């Protein structure tokens, strides 16, 4: 792998990002929500479930959302072809593009955590969990970005990702009984697993999130193979 | 001079449709080779197979000594320059930022950017955003992008399609300069003038098959009627074969002062294509 090529793609995407209004304001949604949630705080600190709702929204809208828009735009405008035909490998292209998403995600997350005064809940276990979760949402974004034919189509996929994977920690507020099948299923989703990990300090949650990440990684790989096959 | 591209019994099918049917070709190092044919003849498919963008169905390809399984390698891609009708720039970025990206991807020094912009006569547009440029200017930048790493072999797919004569002449000057510096150029075109001006050798591609392959001069001679056309002041046109006996007849006509003009039959590449295929090059 050539670091100069990865950085060249990162630099290009960073410049494009500052000029792309579609994605430029995405992080503000999370930050504004973090401000609103922080006002609800009653003195004992925000519940973990609310903090992870912000994490979920950040990962769904910034990590998955921006990644899928970046990939879909390259696909739609045929600029991806130029990168593929250059000496840059697929891994270098994806890594270069993921760096911008990673930078935006973690800046958004840190600002939100500071606003919510939740930095004290971050320990090494949580950091590992958040990193694994980042890759889960990143792979989802790559998969959808490679799969869709236009930027417009990404919204069709972004909404389900947002509600199924981003808002899962909030699902209990919909009034389901704790014994209902919906709650039982959502308990195994990545975000509720990390909420549970924060409450129980059990490492098994990271294992389950890791399985989700591997599945998302395989999905991204399949979509990648499809793009390569389409070219043949 | 060794062969830069070697194609043997190449075939490409898409389902039941044959795009390329049994083509064999050799292109020498330093040559400007033109593949001529109408839209849908298989020219783009050919370039895509030669650059590793499409897999062949059958036959052998060797480009710069590499077989298609090596076409994805960095060492191979670094020797190839490609400008196709699908080539695009990042519209939100400046000309400089676009070229800088590709200079870095190809590990070319950044001072090459100014060099290339000077070559295409666009140094003053360096800081302009690509979306503000005209089609002709964008095409020249795309050419600079394809050449920034000084490739040994350049593939051009309809490089001057729908451009004004000024931009066409500029692109031709750049290509001639590159060829003089030793680059081999493979150009797809349906522009006969372009092929005649630029190419050392041309091949006519029709329905996936090469119908003719030679220098433009040889083809024009081969397909001429080998006749002299003597036009008199009376409006009469006398046809004489290109043989020694005709010399006396032409001389006597000139002596009588009746000759208005003498012409030879010199078909264009477009005329030859129509003669061979019965179809026009559009």
């Amino acid at each position: 792998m050539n670091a100069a090529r990865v950085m060249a793609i990162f630099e290009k995407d960073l410049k494009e990002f500052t000029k792309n209004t579609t994605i430029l304001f995405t992080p503000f949604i999370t930050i504004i929500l973090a401000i609103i949630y922080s006002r609800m705080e009653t003195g004992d600190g925000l519940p973990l479930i609310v903090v992870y709702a912000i994490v979920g929204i950040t990962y769904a809208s910034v990590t998955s959302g921006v990644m899928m828009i970046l990939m879909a735009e390259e696909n739609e405008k045929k600029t991806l072809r130029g990168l593929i035909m250059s000496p840059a490998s697929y891994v270098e292209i994806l890594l270069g593009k993921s760096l911008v998403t990673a930078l935006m995600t973690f800046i958004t997350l840190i600002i939100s955590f500071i606003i919510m005064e939740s930095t004290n809940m971050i320990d090494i276990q949580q950091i590992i969990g958040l990193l694994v979760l980042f890759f889960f949402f990143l792979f989802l974004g790559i998969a959808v970005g490679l799969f869709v034919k236009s930027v417009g189509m990404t919204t069709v996929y972004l909404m389900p990702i947002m509600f199924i994977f981003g808002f899962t920690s909030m699902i209990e507020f919909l009034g389901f009984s704790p014994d209902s099948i919906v709650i039982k299923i959502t308990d195994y989703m990545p975000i509720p697993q990390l909420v549970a990990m924060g409450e129980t300090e059990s490492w098994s949650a990271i294992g389950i999130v890791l399985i989700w990440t591997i599945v998302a990684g395989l999905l991204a790989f399949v979509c990648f193979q499809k793009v390569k096959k389409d070219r043949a | 001079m060794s062969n830069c591209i070697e194609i043997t019994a190449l075939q490409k099918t898409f389902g039941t449709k044959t795009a390329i049917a049994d083509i064999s070709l050799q292109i020498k190092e330093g040559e400007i080779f033109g593949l001529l044919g109408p839209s849908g003849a298989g020219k783009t498919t050919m370039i895509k197979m030669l650059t590793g963008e499409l897999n062949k169905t059958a036959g052998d390809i060797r480009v710069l000594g590499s077989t298609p399984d090596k076409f994805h390698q960095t060492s191979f891609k670094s020797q190839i320059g490609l400008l196709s009708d699908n080539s695009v720039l990042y519209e939100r970025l400046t000309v400089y930022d676009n070229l800088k990206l590709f200079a870095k991807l190809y590990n070319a020094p950044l001072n090459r950017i100014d060099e290339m912009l000077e070559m295409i006569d666009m140094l003053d547009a360096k800081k302009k955003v690509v979306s503000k440029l005209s089609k002709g200017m964008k095409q020249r930048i795309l050419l600079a992008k394809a050449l920034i790493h000084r490739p040994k072999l350049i593939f051009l797919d309809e490089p001057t399609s729908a451009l004004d004569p000024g931009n066409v002449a500029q692109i031709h000057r750049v290509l001639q300069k590159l060829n003089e510096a030793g680059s081999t150029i493979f150009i797809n075109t349906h522009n006969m003038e372009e092929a005649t001006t630029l190419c050392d050798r041309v091949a006519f591609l029709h329905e996936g098959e090469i119908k003719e392959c030679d220098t433009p001069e040889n083809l024009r001679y081969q397909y001429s009627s080998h006749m002299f056309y003597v036009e008199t002041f009376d409006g009469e046109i006398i046809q004489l074969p290109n043989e020694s006996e005709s010399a006396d007849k032409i001389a006597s006509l000139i002596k009588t002062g009746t000759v208005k003009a003498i012409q030879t039959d010199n078909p264009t590449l477009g005329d030859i294509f129509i003669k061979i295929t019965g179809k026009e090059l559009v």
Side-chain angles (χ1 to χ4, degrees):
Chain A
M1 194 171 57
N2 183 306
R5 284 199 284 266
V6 173
M7 290 315 288
I9 295 167
F10 168 66
E11 196 185 323
K12 184 272 294 176
D13 272 350
L14 201 59
K15 278 180 187 155
E16 278 227 292
F17 161 70
T18 58
K19 291 166 185 171
N20 187 342
T21 46
T22 316
I23 55 175
L24 186 60
F25 296 107
T26 312
F28 289 103
I29 301 166
T30 313
I31 292 167
I32 290 166
L33 278 174
I35 293 169
I36 295 168
Y37 285 165
S38 68
R39 298 290 151 90
M40 294 175 183
E41 205 261 327
T42 53
D44 301 330
L46 280 172
L48 205 54
I49 206 165
V50 174
V51 175
Y52 267 101
I54 290 294
V55 171
I57 296 164
T58 306
Y59 280 169
S61 64
V62 182
T63 314
S64 289
V66 170
M67 194 64 196
M68 69 175 76
I69 288 171
L70 287 176
M71 294 305 299
E73 194 173 69
E74 294 265 15
N75 232 344
E76 185 181 4
K77 294 185 176 168
K78 295 188 171 69
T79 44
L80 186 60
R81 185 173 171 267
L83 295 180
I84 290 170
M85 294 308 288
S86 81
S89 67
Y90 285 108
V91 175
E92 286 164 355
I93 295 168
L94 287 182
L95 203 57
K97 301 195 82 61
S98 301
L99 284 178
V100 179
T101 312
L103 185 72
M104 284 173 64
T105 301
F106 293 120
I107 289 175
T108 310
L109 217 49
I110 289 166
I111 293 172
S112 302
F113 274 33
I114 291 169
I115 292 168
M116 294 188 294
E117 296 176 7
S118 302
T119 44
N120 58 334
M121 62 153 264
I122 301 297
D123 56 21
I124 190 73
Q125 196 184 25
Q126 292 287 341
I127 290 171
I128 294 169
L130 287 172
L131 275 176
V132 177
L133 192 64
F134 165 76
F135 284 106
F136 166 73
F137 280 97
L138 184 75
F139 290 147
L140 270 188
I142 292 171
V144 176
L146 287 170
F147 177 76
V148 298
K149 297 273 181 266
S150 69
V151 176
M153 281 296 288
T154 58
T155 44
V156 175
Y157 293 89
L158 185 59
M159 284 301 122
I161 288 174
M162 182 83 95
F163 284 103
I164 295 170
F165 296 109
F167 281 120
T168 14
S169 67
M170 307 293 271
I171 206 113
E172 63 184 65
F173 294 116
L174 291 176
F176 289 105
S177 135
D179 296 327
S180 75
I181 187 81
V182 177
I183 295 294
K184 279 183 179 157
I185 290 171
T186 53
D187 274 350
Y188 284 95
M189 304 284 248
I191 298 254
Q193 281 297 314
L194 290 192
V195 174
M197 184 183 76
E199 288 162 353
T200 62
E201 294 185 3
S202 159
W203 283 90
S204 63
I206 289 184
I208 294 172
V209 179
L210 196 63
I211 292 169
W212 277 100
T213 306
I214 292 166
V215 172
L218 286 173
L219 184 68
F221 179 76
V222 169
C223 290
F224 222 91
Q225 292 302 107
K226 188 185 169 292
V227 170
K228 279 165 85 176
K229 202 178 162 194
D230 285 350
R231 293 173 65 238
Chain B
M1 211 177 279
S2 61
N3 286 333
C4 200
I5 299 173
E6 287 175 5
I7 300 165
T8 315
L10 182 65
Q11 288 177 36
K12 178 69 187 174
T13 53
F14 295 100
T16 52
K17 189 180 177 282
T18 302
I20 298 290
D22 198 29
I23 284 180
S24 295
L25 266 179
Q26 283 84 42
I27 293 148
K28 288 186 168 52
E29 238 173 65
E31 191 174 20
I32 301 185
F33 183 86
L35 189 59
L36 316 183
S39 304
K43 305 190 298 291
T44 302
T45 302
M46 184 69 117
I47 280 193
K48 282 186 172 179
M49 283 192 286
L50 295 176
T51 53
E53 217 181 329
L54 271 180
N55 294 330
K56 60 186 169 61
T57 305
D60 289 315
I61 300 175
R62 202 167 269 270
V63 180
L64 296 169
S66 295
T67 45
D69 57 314
K70 308 273 187 330
F71 287 0
H72 67 281
Q73 290 181 352
T74 303
S75 55
F76 176 80
K77 286 177 172 177
S78 300
Q79 297 182 77
I80 299 285
L82 172 67
L83 168 61
S84 75
D85 53 352
N86 277 328
S87 296
V88 280
L89 297 160
Y90 291 97
E91 296 273 326
R92 293 191 198 98
L93 300 184
T94 62
V95 168
Y96 180 80
D97 286 337
N98 267 279
L99 294 180
K100 187 180 170 190
L101 167 68
F102 285 90
K104 284 186 169 180
L105 291 179
Y106 282 94
N107 199 25
L110 292 183
N111 60 13
R112 193 75 60 74
I113 297 172
D114 281 0
E115 228 175 85
M116 291 311 304
L117 287 173
E118 212 170 320
M119 191 189 240
I120 58 166
D121 199 18
M122 279 190 67
L123 198 55
D124 51 346
K126 186 176 166 179
K127 288 185 179 159
K128 279 191 180 161
V129 176
V130 167
S131 60
K132 308 271 183 222
L133 302 178
S134 69
K135 193 184 177 207
M137 288 167 107
K138 281 182 193 169
Q139 191 71 354
R140 277 148 67 190
I141 300 294
L142 281 169
L143 183 65
K145 179 189 125 180
L147 306 174
I148 195 118
H149 55 295
R150 290 190 181 149
K152 273 174 86 171
L153 174 60
I154 303 157
F155 289 100
L156 305 164
D157 193 2
E158 304 283 1
T160 58
S161 173
L163 295 187
D164 63 81
N167 277 306
V168 171
Q170 178 71 38
I171 288 174
H172 285 176
R173 273 196 294 276
V174 171
L175 294 179
Q176 274 159 341
K177 210 182 270 183
L178 284 165
N179 182 244
E180 281 161 20
S183 293
T184 308
I185 299 172
F186 184 106
I187 181 168
N188 274 356
T189 185
H190 61 252
N191 181 338
M192 292 301 109
E193 246 183 84
E194 181 166 83
T196 314
T197 316
L198 279 179
C199 299
D200 299 316
R201 225 155 40 99
V202 294
F204 290 130
L205 185 66
H206 181 60
E207 290 172 351
E209 287 176 36
I210 298 281
K211 300 292 182 187
E212 276 290 357
C213 181
D214 208 333
T215 64
E217 298 76 30
N218 285 353
L219 284 171
R220 292 172 78 183
Y221 179 75
Q222 187 189 331
Y223 282 90
S224 77
S225 58
H226 307 292
M227 298 288 281
F228 288 113
Y229 297 90
V230 181
E231 188 183 353
T232 65
F233 284 106
D234 304 335
E236 188 188 358
I237 292 172
I238 304 162
Q239 291 185 38
L240 296 166
N242 189 354
E243 290 162 4
S244 54
E245 294 87 66
S246 300
D248 295 336
K249 285 181 186 165
I250 291 170
S252 62
L253 282 167
I254 290 171
K255 276 178 197 165
T256 56
T258 53
V259 176
K260 189 181 175 187
I262 303 172
Q263 289 169 346
T264 54
D265 174 31
N266 205 3
T268 64
L269 291 179
D271 297 333
I272 299 167
F273 190 85
I274 294 167
K275 205 166 185 176
I276 296 168
T277 65
K279 287 188 175 172
E280 278 199 62
L281 264 167
V282 283

